[in-house]
Amino acid sequence: MESNGEAEKTQTSLVKQLLYTNYSKDHMQSSLLHKVSLAPMMDITNFYFRFMIRLITRRCTLYTEMFHENAVLNCTWGPREFMKFSPIEHPVVVQLGGNSPENLKKCATICEELGYDEINLNVGCPSERVQEGAFGACLMKEPDLVARIVKEMSNAVQIPVTVKCRLGVDEFDDYDFVKSFITKVATEGGTKHFILHARKAFLKGLDPHQNRTVPPLKYDWVLKLKKEFPDLQVTINGGFKTFDSIKGILTPENGLRGCMVGRAFFENPWLFSDADRTFYGEPNPGYTRREILDLWSDFGTMMMQERPYLSLPMLTKPIVNLFCGEKFNARYRQFLSDPNNFKKCDNNFETFIDTCVELYDELAPGVLDKKPPALEKEPTKEVENAI
């Protein structure tokens, strides 16, 4: 029988094994790559959140939060630490922001050396911070510059360089504008894959949250663009919060490369515990939420030992919505969000998570041990061929 110390050591070893295992190395050329992807989200899709998502789904493509060109080139502790990711995250795409072809070319080289699978250029973010730096959605008004940037980046690396943009910006919001933008960036920049957020962006008058909700979704424009550019790969983004909505857009007749999902991954991550079975015909990782929190306890402890400067919210934010839709979800969130509870646990992360698990288990018996659906039959021939 294992002692407590031996059990803890075994669990920590499992976390390290998970972190350093690439579960997708045999699927990188699959036509199913990008079928469902995690959208880049500032202050959300960091190293910690992406690892948590990999405990839930192994096959959905992950995007990092955006890294600005200046931060990549000038970060004091070096890009390897600044842009850290682990092998379990594959397939993983790094998103870059900026407006200098030369700087972004250097950044692209660094990203390829670090081992990222693809590079994505942010041409869609409308935040004030992005506007002040004249990049993100601002660049939609400068298609010639975007084409130059993408061409410089693509010429410097072997991995794909893609573009994420909106359907327009400010007064530049008619269909012909976005069609012309894609034509320019595809023909002169060489971009073959566009991730289209199916809304326009307002650079003035709306904050980032409003820019995700107020401008109307225009899925029909995205589908029309795909038909007009049959040789380009198109991933659609914006407003997808259920499996039914994802399935509904990813029909063969629509011809899309994939569907990118943002807020639903953060607001209801457990929804995607059935993503691998549903969208890829493969077994889900199959962890219960009790098992995920057990692993998270050891992961967090290990991270705090490696990074003494790490703040508690960096480790609680990725798991705060793990029980979305369940009874007593609010009590679980309140416990994690109160720093006094961490102090009561002697600032010990393992004790903190164990106490949280015990509390929730008493409030909602059985919920922690619900398993994701299992694969009931072998993958279809269509899935096997795609893989």
Side-chain angles (χ1 to χ4, degrees):
M1 183 176 179
E2 285 186 334
S3 66
N4 287 340
E6 289 172 336
E8 289 173 6
K9 187 175 180 180
T10 300
Q11 189 80 346
T12 302
S13 297
L14 176 56
V15 169
K16 289 182 177 179
Q17 179 184 335
L18 287 168
L19 276 170
Y20 296 109
T21 300
N22 180 354
Y23 292 92
S24 297
K25 60 184 177 181
D26 296 328
H27 306 307
M28 294 309 299
Q29 303 305 316
S30 167
S31 63
L32 297 180
L33 191 66
H34 289 288
K35 187 171 186 181
V36 179
S37 55
L38 165 68
M41 293 179 282
M42 290 302 294
D43 300 320
I44 294 179
T45 56
N46 54 32
F47 170 72
Y48 311 102
F49 184 76
R50 297 193 308 266
F51 175 64
M52 194 280 292
I53 291 299
R54 273 290 175 254
L55 299 178
I56 291 174
T57 166
R58 297 276 163 76
R59 293 299 312 279
C60 294
T61 299
L62 306 184
Y63 280 65
T64 69
E65 57 187 339
M66 182 191 67
F67 296 109
H68 189 269
E69 57 186 29
N70 292 335
V72 174
L73 297 177
N74 301 312
C75 56
T76 55
W77 56 91
R80 183 168 296 278
E81 177 64 20
F82 178 59
M83 307 172 75
K84 181 182 179 69
F85 77 97
S86 59
I88 193 177
E89 294 179 45
H90 291 291
V92 58
V93 181
V94 59
Q95 187 182 68
L96 297 176
N99 59 16
S100 165
E102 186 60 33
N103 283 346
L104 286 165
K105 175 182 177 180
K106 294 176 183 175
C107 291
T109 302
I110 291 171
C111 292
E112 184 174 51
E113 290 173 352
L114 291 176
Y116 282 102
D117 298 304
E118 295 183 8
I119 300 166
N120 177 256
L121 179 66
N122 183 328
V123 191
C125 181
S127 72
E128 286 187 14
R129 182 171 56 175
V130 162
Q131 292 176 50
E132 290 170 359
F135 63 103
C138 302
L139 289 177
M140 286 205 74
K141 298 180 181 181
E142 300 186 64
D144 290 317
L145 176 58
V146 175
R148 277 185 57 212
I149 290 171
V150 173
K151 186 174 182 179
E152 289 288 337
M153 294 168 73
S154 298
N155 287 343
V157 298
Q158 299 298 312
I159 58 178
V161 177
T162 67
V163 169
K164 185 175 189 291
C165 63
R166 296 270 183 144
L167 293 184
V169 56
D170 292 337
E171 71 274 19
F172 301 92
D173 63 353
D174 59 77
Y175 180 82
D176 287 340
F177 168 77
V178 68
K179 180 181 176 182
S180 174
F181 175 86
I182 290 175
T183 300
K184 171 73 70 171
V185 177
T187 55
E188 297 185 16
T191 305
K192 296 181 173 60
H193 184 189
F194 288 83
I195 297 90
L196 301 179
H197 188 152
R199 291 185 172 95
K200 67 173 286 186
F202 288 92
L203 297 182
K204 300 294 182 184
L206 297 181
D207 62 28
H209 170 73
Q210 291 170 322
N211 259 301
R212 293 193 302 270
T213 55
V214 173
L217 288 162
K218 296 182 178 179
Y219 294 155
D220 56 324
W221 281 25
V222 176
L223 298 180
K224 184 178 178 181
L225 287 165
K226 173 55 190 172
K227 286 182 169 56
E228 296 212 42
F229 296 95
D231 295 331
L232 295 180
Q233 298 169 6
V234 174
T235 290
I236 192 168
N237 170 228
F240 295 96
K241 296 186 176 181
T242 67
F243 277 17
D244 284 344
S245 64
I246 298 170
K247 290 177 184 176
I249 203 69
L250 293 181
T251 58
E253 54 267 28
N254 285 340
L256 297 171
R257 178 71 191 270
C259 179
M260 175 176 278
V261 182
R263 298 291 148 177
F265 261 109
F266 174 65
E267 294 169 357
N268 188 12
W270 185 248
L271 171 67
F272 296 88
S273 65
D274 195 26
D276 293 1
R277 181 187 72 95
T278 300
F279 297 107
Y280 300 93
E282 294 190 12
N284 297 311
Y287 292 120
T288 66
R289 280 171 282 193
R290 185 190 301 277
E291 291 168 331
I292 288 173
L293 289 173
D294 282 347
L295 289 167
W296 196 256
S297 169
D298 290 290
F299 171 74
T301 299
M302 186 169 67
M303 289 298 104
M304 284 188 155
Q305 290 171 349
E306 291 180 3
R307 304 175 173 196
Y309 56 84
L310 190 62
S311 66
L312 181 64
M314 293 293 283
L315 292 172
T316 55
K317 189 174 182 178
I319 59 172
V320 75
N321 293 317
L322 198 53
F323 294 93
C324 175
E326 302 283 5
K327 289 182 178 181
F328 303 106
N329 170 53
R331 292 284 300 276
Y332 166 81
R333 288 170 54 90
Q334 288 166 3
F335 183 91
L336 285 180
S337 303
D338 186 348
N340 289 320
N341 290 324
F342 186 58
K343 292 178 183 177
K344 291 175 184 176
C345 295
D346 297 323
N347 295 330
N348 183 296
F349 191 74
E350 183 178 1
T351 303
F352 175 63
I353 295 298
D354 288 348
T355 303
C356 183
V357 168
E358 290 174 9
L359 172 67
Y360 191 76
D361 212 10
E362 290 178 5
L363 293 170
V367 173
L368 279 154
D369 298 309
K370 287 182 182 177
K371 280 188 169 291
L375 192 66
E376 296 178 359
K377 58 183 180 180
E378 294 299 313
T380 64
K381 286 293 181 185
E382 179 183 0
V383 171
E384 286 179 347
N385 291 338
I387 294 172

